[in-house]
């Protein structure tokens, strides 16, 4: 089931998507999920603990691992965490996070910022 | 919602593909979880994000993730002016955004549009889109759609409407919002009913036949007392009162409109609801089901009896279930049910003496139909008001004639 891909991953020597640190984070999740399936609060706490020391940028690697392993619950959780982490951040922060560059014409971006000026209020400092 | 070309391939990455880049579906998954304020700001990240966020498919996915109450929008209608002051109906329209549950005020804002005549009220709301209209002379009906979460509104194309009652519903088959109006008063041959249906996708109105056989010599008129028309189980509902005619068996007609198929049906009203004449009834929604509320004078001098019926299973005959009968003291008017099924009513006027002066006070109370427990909410509204669910969504983000404020 979930574990077929894991075995395949370990067999696949060319795969360098997942480092040791990530293997220790992602792999134990299915077991833990099965153990505390019904108890959402406990799961939340466990997940908060896991990610407490993980920098947002590391989350990208975790997501790629979960995506590769086709592990839906972990993917869902990591995406939720990223969404919470970036929700109140600036446009620049988000660009850096996803590795994007602005492709707007010089005046265009300013015009857009003006149209939604109120959505820039109360944003976290970079 | 505007038609946009589906962008394919690496739509969200603009530099050379990097091993560590997240796949597009994952990025969209993350974006669809964000609140609207963040998404409006992130439209400025890059052009692909700008268009992805306004893409109808994305808007629907986002709506599904945020399809829960964030609170309520309370719209205070034109207050009956006190003898000393005169206030025009369309100025000073204030709305407050309140929390779910406690009804504590989170913020206040003005209605960003005005009506030239008549008094404005909320005809209906659907997925957080409010449909505002005005009760006024024929030919001057105006309809606005308002998305309070992204601060955008749209005045629907004008049409020489006879005085109509409007409601709003969502067509799940076509991913479209529809506004439907029926003449406020009509009779079989002398004043045939008119129906107009507006589709947001096509941004246009069209006429539709009522297709219901009407009794001769009966005048049908608005029976819902400017309450929002309930959109439940994919259907919009109207209640009309009947006067004249020889049969005294029914005094009201309940109509449903299937928003997907655009067909009307007459629905049965509960059998055991009584035939008293000193009563007021209207339809509303109770926890996602169609409900009928009836008010009549109670036994005590200031008591009002409130009976509530709910449809157990939509589309099934004889599915009305009497939920309860409440006795409410000093009842002034009823507003609606909260998402948890509490009935919001206004009580008063109560004469209160403050510093030697007599004041008329009103209080707004939540009543639990099951426990009969009453709780006063602290919103200090003394006037008639509408309550609509506040839900975050991106509908009306881009489109013809949409105004930002």
């Amino acid at each position: 089931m979930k574990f077929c891909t894991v075995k395949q991953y370990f067999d696949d020597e060319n795969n360098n998507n997942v480092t040791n640190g990530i293997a220790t984070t992602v792999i134990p999740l299915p077991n833990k999920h099965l153990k505390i399936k019904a108890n959402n609060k406990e799961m939340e706490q466990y997940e908060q603990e896991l990610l407490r020391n993980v920098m947002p940028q590391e989350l990208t690697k975790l997501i790629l691992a979960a995506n590769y392993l086709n592990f839906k619950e972990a993917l869902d959780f990591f995406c939720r965490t990223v969404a919470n982490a970036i929700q109140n951040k600036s446009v620049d922060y988000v660009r850096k996070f996803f590795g994007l560059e602005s492709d707007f014409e010089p005046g265009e971006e300013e015009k857009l910022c003006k149209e939604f000026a109120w959505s820039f209020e109360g944003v976290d400092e970079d | 919602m505007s038609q946009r070309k589906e962008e394919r391939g690496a739509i969200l990455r603009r530099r050379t593909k990097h091993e560590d880049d997240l796949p597009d579906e994952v990025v969209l998954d993350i974006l669809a979880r964000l609140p609207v304020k963040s998404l409006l700001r992130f439209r400025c990240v890059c052009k692909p994000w700008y268009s992805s966020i306004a893409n109808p498919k994305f808007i629907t996915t986002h709506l599904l993730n945020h399809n829960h109450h964030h609170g309520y929008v309370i719209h205070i209608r034109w207050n009956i002016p006190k003898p000393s002051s005169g206030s025009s109906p369309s100025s000073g329209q204030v709305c407050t955004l309140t929390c779910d549950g406690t009804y504590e005020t989170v913020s206040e804002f003005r209605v960003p549009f005005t009506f030239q005549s008549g008094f404005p009220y909320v005809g209906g709301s659907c997925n957080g889109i409010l449909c505002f209209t005005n009760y006024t002379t024929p030919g001057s009906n105006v309809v606005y759609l308002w998305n309070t979460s992204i601060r955008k509104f749209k005045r629907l194309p004008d049409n020489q409407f006879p005085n109509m009652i409007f409601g709003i519903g969502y067509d799940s088959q076509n991913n479209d919002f529809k506004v439907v109006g029926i003449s406020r008063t009509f009779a079989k041959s002398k004043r045939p009913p008119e129906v107009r249906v507006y589709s947001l996708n096509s941004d246009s109105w069209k006429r539709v036949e009522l297709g219901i056989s009407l009794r001769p010599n009966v005048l049908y008129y608005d029976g819902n007392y400017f309450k929002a028309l309930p959109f439940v189980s994919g259907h919009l509902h109207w209640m009309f009162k009947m006067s004249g005619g020889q049969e005294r068996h029914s005094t009201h007609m309940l109509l449903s409109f299937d928003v997907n198929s655009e067909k009307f049906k007459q629905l049965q009203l509960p059998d055991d609801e009584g035939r008293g004449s000193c009563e007021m009834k209207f339809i509303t929604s109770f926890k996602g089901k169609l409900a009928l509320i009836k008010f009549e004078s109670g036994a005590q001098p200031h008591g009002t009896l409130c009976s509530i019926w709910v449809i157990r299973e939509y589309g099934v005959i004889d599915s009305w279930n009497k939920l309860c009968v409440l006795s409410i003291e000093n009842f002034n008017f009823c507003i609606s049910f909260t998402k948890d099924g509490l009935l919001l009513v206004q009580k008063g006027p109560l004469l209160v003496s403050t510093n030697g002066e007599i004041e008329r006070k009103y209080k707004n109370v939540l009543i639990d139909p099951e426990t009969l427990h009453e709780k006063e909410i602290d919103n200090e509204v003394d006037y008639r008001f509408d309550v609509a669910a506040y839900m975050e969504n991106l509908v009306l983000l881009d489109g013809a004639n949409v105004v930002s404020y």
Side-chain angles (χ1 to χ4, degrees):
Chain A
M1 217 185 18
K2 298 187 213 281
F3 302 103
C4 300
T5 333
V6 176
K7 182 177 186 304
Q8 195 185 332
Y9 154 70
F10 279 121
D11 290 345
D12 184 357
E13 286 167 298
N14 287 327
N15 193 314
N16 52 13
N17 265 356
V18 182
T19 65
N20 268 339
I22 285 150
T24 45
T25 314
V26 177
I27 311 282
L29 275 175
N31 265 335
K32 197 71 182 175
H33 260 280
L34 290 169
K35 280 190 198 147
I36 46 178
K37 229 188 331 194
N39 196 333
N40 276 324
K41 247 202 130 102
E42 241 191 276
M43 197 61 213
E44 258 176 55
Q45 281 177 345
Y46 175 77
E47 289 168 347
Q48 304 297 5
E49 271 299 310
L50 264 186
L51 290 188
R52 201 207 298 249
N53 296 320
V54 174
M55 294 299 297
Q57 282 78 1
E58 296 249 317
L59 277 172
T60 336
K61 299 210 168 80
L62 286 172
I63 292 175
L64 285 168
N67 199 31
Y68 179 75
L69 297 170
N70 202 23
F71 187 179
K72 296 258 176 338
E73 284 93 343
L75 190 58
D76 181 61
F77 166 57
F78 296 141
C79 286
R80 221 184 318 137
T81 313
V82 171
N84 286 336
I86 65 171
Q87 155 177 321
N88 212 35
K89 295 286 188 262
S90 70
V91 170
D92 276 334
Y93 182 101
V94 168
R95 280 189 190 129
K96 286 202 194 77
F97 187 95
F98 289 94
L100 298 164
E101 279 156 12
S102 167
D103 54 349
F104 289 111
E105 310 305 321
E108 254 187 312
E109 198 183 323
E110 269 175 60
K111 223 178 77 178
L112 283 181
C113 292
K114 265 209 188 128
E115 192 187 343
F116 304 112
W118 63 273
S119 68
F120 287 81
E121 289 164 19
V123 168
D124 292 344
E125 299 269 323
D126 280 347
Chain B
M1 282 166 273
S2 54
Q3 299 298 312
R4 283 186 184 269
K5 257 205 304 211
E6 222 18 60
E7 282 164 295
R8 309 206 180 264
I11 62 166
L12 299 171
R13 290 186 299 279
R14 294 298 292 187
R15 56 172 167 79
T16 49
K17 191 178 155 111
H18 207 260
E19 263 186 14
D20 276 355
D21 276 350
L22 295 176
D24 291 346
E25 323 83 73
V26 174
V27 179
L28 285 173
D29 182 309
I30 295 171
L31 291 181
R33 295 164 191 267
L34 293 172
V36 293
K37 186 179 171 199
S38 314
L39 286 173
L40 291 180
R41 188 168 66 248
F42 295 163
R43 286 192 91 189
C44 302
V45 165
C46 61
K47 282 186 183 168
W49 278 38
Y50 181 84
S51 44
S52 296
I53 289 171
N55 182 292
K57 260 205 180 142
F58 178 78
I59 292 178
T60 310
T61 312
H62 179 269
L63 179 65
L64 293 172
N65 286 347
H66 291 78
N67 202 5
H68 48 269
H69 267 58
H70 290 253
Y72 298 98
V73 175
I74 294 184
H75 167 249
I76 303 165
R77 295 185 196 171
W78 180 28
N79 44 297
I80 313 292
K82 299 185 185 138
S84 53
S85 70
S87 54
S88 95
S90 53
S91 70
Q93 294 294 306
V94 170
C95 283
T96 57
L97 175 63
T98 70
C99 297
D100 201 3
T102 60
Y103 278 85
E104 267 169 43
T105 301
V106 168
S107 65
E108 269 187 25
F109 47 95
R110 295 225 113 109
V111 176
F113 43 83
T114 53
F115 293 88
Q116 293 311 309
S117 62
F119 80 80
Y121 69 98
V122 176
S125 74
C126 184
N127 295 342
I129 303 295
L130 274 58
C131 172
F132 261 77
T133 183
N134 57 338
Y135 175 64
T136 180
T137 51
S140 347
N141 264 165
V142 179
V143 183
Y144 286 93
L145 291 185
W146 184 16
N147 183 339
T148 54
S149 70
I150 62 172
R151 304 194 193 183
K152 291 201 174 227
F153 68 89
K154 181 188 169 93
R155 178 179 168 140
L156 299 195
D158 283 332
N159 221 321
Q160 282 302 301
F161 302 119
N163 207 346
M164 288 189 144
I165 316 168
F166 294 98
I168 181 173
Y170 176 70
D171 175 350
S172 53
Q173 266 173 13
N174 298 307
N175 193 19
D176 192 11
F177 282 85
K178 290 183 179 164
V179 175
V180 187
I182 303 185
S183 316
R184 214 171 267 281
T185 320
F186 53 88
K188 182 165 177 165
S189 10
K190 277 194 269 191
R191 211 188 311 193
E194 292 205 47
V195 179
R196 300 275 198 286
V197 177
Y198 170 85
S199 140
L200 186 60
N201 283 358
S202 69
D203 190 21
S204 63
W205 291 95
K206 68 171 189 246
R207 283 172 192 260
V208 166
E209 285 302 307
L210 191 62
I212 303 280
S213 52
L214 302 174
R215 300 236 185 88
N217 303 319
V218 169
L219 180 73
Y220 296 82
Y221 58 105
D222 179 20
N224 228 46
Y225 307 96
F226 308 103
K227 296 259 178 287
L229 297 185
F231 174 65
V232 155
S233 303
H235 292 70
L236 252 181
H237 301 84
W238 286 255
M239 177 98 104
F240 286 97
K241 281 171 132 176
M242 292 158 40
S243 87
Q246 284 158 341
E247 293 170 50
R248 287 246 157 256
H249 289 309
S250 45
T251 52
H252 286 72
M253 172 171 77
L254 175 59
L255 279 187
S256 77
F257 178 77
D258 182 334
V259 177
N260 288 8
S261 71
E262 299 189 350
K263 294 271 182 295
F264 283 96
K265 261 209 199 131
Q266 185 170 349
L267 298 186
Q268 227 189 356
L269 283 163
D271 279 336
D272 60 341
E273 54 134 345
R275 313 274 169 252
S277 50
C278 296
E279 59 182 38
M280 170 181 121
K281 20 181 191 235
F282 67 93
I283 42 164
T284 183
S285 78
F286 171 82
K287 294 197 204 172
K289 297 200 185 287
L290 190 64
L292 173 74
I293 308 188
K294 180 173 88 170
F295 293 98
E296 53 196 335
S297 342
Q300 315 105 303
H302 295 291
T304 305
L305 279 181
C306 164
S307 310
I308 303 172
W309 287 264
V310 177
I311 282 195
R312 208 176 32 241
E313 218 184 309
Y314 197 83
V316 172
I317 304 204
D318 286 336
S319 199
W320 284 105
N321 225 0
K322 191 166 195 174
L323 189 72
C324 63
V325 180
L326 306 172
S327 176
I328 307 173
E329 256 191 56
N330 288 310
F331 172 79
N332 192 28
F333 77 97
C334 166
I335 299 116
S336 60
F337 285 104
T338 67
K339 82 166 200 292
D340 301 313
L342 301 181
L343 185 64
L344 180 60
V345 302
Q346 189 177 83
K347 292 189 170 194
L350 304 155
L351 299 176
V352 171
S353 165
T354 339
N355 302 329
E357 279 187 21
I358 308 279
E359 263 183 60
R360 302 172 119 218
K361 278 275 174 197
Y362 293 86
K363 56 177 186 172
N364 300 308
V365 171
L366 287 171
I367 307 177
D368 187 329
E370 286 173 45
T371 65
L372 304 185
H373 176 66
E374 288 189 19
K375 180 184 155 196
E376 191 176 334
I377 59 167
D378 193 20
N379 72 345
E380 294 184 358
V381 179
D382 276 1
Y383 318 119
R384 299 247 155 186
F385 58 97
D386 305 291
V387 175
Y390 173 76
M391 283 190 235
E392 285 210 354
N393 73 87
L394 296 164
V395 176
L396 291 187
L397 181 58
D398 279 349
N401 301 319
V402 176
V403 177
S404 305
Y405 60 95

